[in-house]
């Protein structure tokens, strides 16, 4: 399921040449951080961004105008934190698996849900969008929000990219875990690589109505129906209400098992292109409501295309980092990528059900530096909006500052009353997770961000 704001105005990106020069420069300067390969397939080849191609996970993909993946992002591919024993993401994945294995069994006592946690994050655009009925002009396809290897291939933006292929293989109930990639803002709860867990369950007419009085007289489908906020045009209302009840009960049981009955939960109606009706579950975390999963009744057209047109189903997608932050009290999403023993050893428990509450490492002081610049000429026109987006700047900051950057905040957006030129000012907060930073070393990073933004994004500095 796509989580987070995906229904924003569609914006195209700047021409290829700037971004390609930027990627080549970062790679040449050693921009990609090293990562221990943690997947079950063993050591993964180091990804390489060449002049004409991108090599990742042993495959080569030709570059084109859509290529916008950076070396620092590619360096995360194959890390598979969710498969590293005793990593907090592995712990919460295993707890979810254990819950579904014990709570949902088949006729002979075997687990009802199969689990898939090692599918490649490199997918086709067709898998990531078209297979989920996402229209060609949908804003979630923007280059500004995704990491493309080329026009037809990308790093998956959600685990739902594999939904159709698994349904087509004949599976009626499965869980899928994996790393997903989004260009996004920078703060304590957002990171360009995070991990999702997908769940799907399909019902035949008999399975859904077998325990309902006079269930043999009920049906999943109806002819001549119409789409309403409560259901799709081909579904009967009674079928949808039973599926919706099963979905919400399943997820409420899951979070209650993970967090206990005291966790405050609420359901919010929402929209996804591949489910209807659709919902988000939010939990109260540090005084704020945090979205942790999206779910809904699967669009029947998706099931029809996957060869399961005689069934009706639900699907959900949850963020493993967000659940782990609540469950273990982890305050900053960057910590999941830490190799500091003081962090990792806290999760080496003998029993995955053993309670763990993260004990904070020394809180090193932050340093902040501001950056102000005029946007490219004509930024208020259509062409200008194509040449600069906030996510371009965030991605540039991440590519240079990496995990030294804790947060980036837009402080001011100003348009000159006479010239019509637009200026923006951002505050970049730097904080190392394992030591104290000096202003001198932060200033070197900040200056590189300033110079590269001018050169690659076409902005004019005001510093």
């Amino acid at each position: 399921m796509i989580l987070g704001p995906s229904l924003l105005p569609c914006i195209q990106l700047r021409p290829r040449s700037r971004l390609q020069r930027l990627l080549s420069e970062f790679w040449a300067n050693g921009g990609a951080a090293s990562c221990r390969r943690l997947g079950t397939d063993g050591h993964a080849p180091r990804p390489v961004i060449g002049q004409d191609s991108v090599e990742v996970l042993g495959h080569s993909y030709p570059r084109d105008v859509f290529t916008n993946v950076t070396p620092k992002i590619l360096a995360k591919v194959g890390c598979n934190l969710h498969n590293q024993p005793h990593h907090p993401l592995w712990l919460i994945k295993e707890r979810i698996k254990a819950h579904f294995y014990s709570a949902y069994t088949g006729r002979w006592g075997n687990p009802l849900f199969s689990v898939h946690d090692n599918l490649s994050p490199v997918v086709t655009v067709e898998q990531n969008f078209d297979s989920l009925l996402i229209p060609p002009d949908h804003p979630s396809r923007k280059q500004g929000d995704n990491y493309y290897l080329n026009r037809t291939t990308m790093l998956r933006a959600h685990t739902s990219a594999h939904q159709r292929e698994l349904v087509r293989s004949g599976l009626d109930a499965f869980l899928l875990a994996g790393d997903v990639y989004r260009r996004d803002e920078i703060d304590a709860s957002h990171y360009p690589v995070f991990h999702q867990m997908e769940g799907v369950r399909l019902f035949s007419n008999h399975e859904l109505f077998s325990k309902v009085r006079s269930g043999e007289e009920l049906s999943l489908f109806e002819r001549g129906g119409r789409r309403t906020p409560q259901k799709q045009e081909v579904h009967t209302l009674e079928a949808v209400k039973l599926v919706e009840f099963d979905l919400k009960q399943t997820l409420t049981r899951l979070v209650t098992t993970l967090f206990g009955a005291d966790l405050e939960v609420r359901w919010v109606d929402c929209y996804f292109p591949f489910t209807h009706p659709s919902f988000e579950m939010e939990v109260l975390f540090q005084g704020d409501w945090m979205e942790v999963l999206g779910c809904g009744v699967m669009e029947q057209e998706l099931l029809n295309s996957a060869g399961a047109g005689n069934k009706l189903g639900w699907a959900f997608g949850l963020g493993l980092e967000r659940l782990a932050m609540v469950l273990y009290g982890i305050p900053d999403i960057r910590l999941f990528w830490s190799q500091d023993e003081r962090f990792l050893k806290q999760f080496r428990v003998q029993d995955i059900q053993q309670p763990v509450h993260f004990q904070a490492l020394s809180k090193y002081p932050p340093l902040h530096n501001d950056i102000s610049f005029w946007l490219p000429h004509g930024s208020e026109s259509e062409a200008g909006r194509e040449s600069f987006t906030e996510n371009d700047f965030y991605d540039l900051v991440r590519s240079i500052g990496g995990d030294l950057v804790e947060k980036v905040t837009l402080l001011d957006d100003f348009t000159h009353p006479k010239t019509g030129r637009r200026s923006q000012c951002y505050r970049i907060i730097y904080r190392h997770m394992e030591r104290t930073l000096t202003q001198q070393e932060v200033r070197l990073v900040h200056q590189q961000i300033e110079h590269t933004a001018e050169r690659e994004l076409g902005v004019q500095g005001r510093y």
Side-chain angles (χ1 to χ4, degrees), residues 16-25 51 63-64:
R16 168 193 183 194
S17 57
R18 288 180 179 173
L19 187 55
Q20 288 191 325
R21 289 199 308 272
L22 180 62
L23 301 183
S24 300
E25 177 181 313
Q51 187 69 28
R63 293 174 60 170
D64 60 23

Side-chain angles (χ1 to χ4, degrees), residues 221-227 231-235:
F221 307 108
E222 66 177 3
R223 292 184 178 180
R226 62 187 183 88
R227 180 171 290 242
K231 73 178 197 71
Q232 297 170 41
E233 51 268 40
V234 297
H235 296 157

Side-chain angles (χ1 to χ4, degrees), residues 18 70 191 281 329:
R18 288 180 179 173
T70 66
Y191 199 82
M281 175 190 277

Side-chain angles (χ1 to χ4, degrees), residues 26 34 54 58 94 102 134 151 205 228 239 260 299 331 436:
F26 287 156
S34 62
V54 178
E94 291 299 311
S102 63
I134 299 174
R151 185 181 296 274
N205 211 84
T228 70
E299 283 284 353
T436 300

Side-chain angles (χ1 to χ4, degrees), residues 98-351:
H99 168 73
F100 275 90
Y101 279 175
S102 63
Y104 304 94
T105 56
R107 181 179 303 176
W108 310 110
N110 54 304
L112 182 66
F113 285 79
S114 59
V115 177
H116 311 266
D117 59 10
N118 207 25
L119 298 178
S120 172
V122 179
V123 299
T124 64
V125 171
E126 196 275 339
Q127 285 177 288
N128 198 80
F129 296 118
D130 298 286
S131 75
L132 295 165
L133 313 178
I134 299 174
D137 59 349
H138 196 275
S140 66
R141 295 178 180 250
K142 287 188 301 181
Q143 286 171 285
D145 289 349
N146 300 285
Y147 288 104
Y148 285 90
L149 302 183
N150 55 38
R151 185 181 296 274
T152 60
T153 314
M154 63 187 297
L155 299 178
R156 64 188 169 207
H158 44 196
T159 48
S160 304
H162 304 283
Q163 197 176 97
R164 187 180 66 183
E165 64 195 78
L166 292 178
V167 171
R168 182 174 283 165
S169 73
L171 297 177
D172 284 344
F174 59 84
L175 301 174
L176 165 65
D179 44 327
V180 298
Y181 299 78
R182 305 262 187 88
R183 300 176 87 212
D184 211 338
E185 57 193 288
I186 301 176
D187 59 33
S189 62
H190 290 85
Y191 199 82
V193 188
F194 58 103
H195 298 75
Q196 284 185 339
M197 200 155 187
E198 182 95 359
V200 167
R201 187 172 185 187
L202 308 183
F203 299 89
S204 67
N205 211 84
H206 173 74
E207 287 170 322
L208 189 61
F209 295 121
S210 61
K211 297 181 181 179
V212 177
R213 186 176 179 180
S214 302
E216 66 277 1
E217 300 175 7
L218 301 176
S219 175
L220 300 178
F221 307 108
E222 66 177 3
R223 292 184 178 180
R226 62 187 183 88
R227 180 171 290 242
T228 70
Q230 289 76 39
K231 73 178 197 71
Q232 297 170 41
E233 51 268 40
V234 297
H235 296 157
T236 63
L237 184 59
E238 54 266 26
V240 171
K241 287 303 179 184
L242 282 175
V243 170
E244 179 184 325
F245 175 80
D246 186 84
L247 169 62
K248 291 183 175 179
Q249 184 182 59
T250 298
L251 295 173
T252 301
R253 285 175 175 172
L254 172 63
V255 297
T256 300
T257 299
L258 292 175
F259 303 105
D262 293 336
L263 183 73
E264 291 192 55
V265 174
R266 71 181 183 187
W267 293 99
V268 179
D269 292 340
C270 65
Y271 165 79
F272 298 116
F274 34 80
T275 55
H276 180 78
S278 303
F279 315 95
E280 289 175 346
M281 175 190 277
E282 297 181 347
V283 300
L284 193 62
F285 177 60
Q286 295 182 349
D288 294 317
W289 288 100
M290 175 188 288
E291 173 203 333
V292 292
L293 63 86
C295 62
V297 178
M298 297 173 69
E299 283 284 353
Q300 196 61 36
E301 186 180 342
L302 191 158
L303 292 178
N304 293 344
S305 70
N310 63 328
K311 298 180 180 180
L312 190 153
W314 54 245
F316 73 84
L318 55 82
L320 290 179
E321 277 88 348
R322 290 191 174 183
L323 285 182
M325 290 173 79
V326 178
L327 183 63
Y328 303 127
I330 298 173
D332 194 311
I333 197 169
R334 292 176 299 163
L335 280 164
F336 291 104
W337 294 90
S338 174
Q339 296 183 17
D340 190 327
E341 270 298 303
R342 295 174 299 165
F343 173 74
L344 296 173
K345 71 180 181 182
Q346 298 185 42
F347 301 93
R348 295 197 184 107
V349 293
Q350 293 184 337
D351 182 353

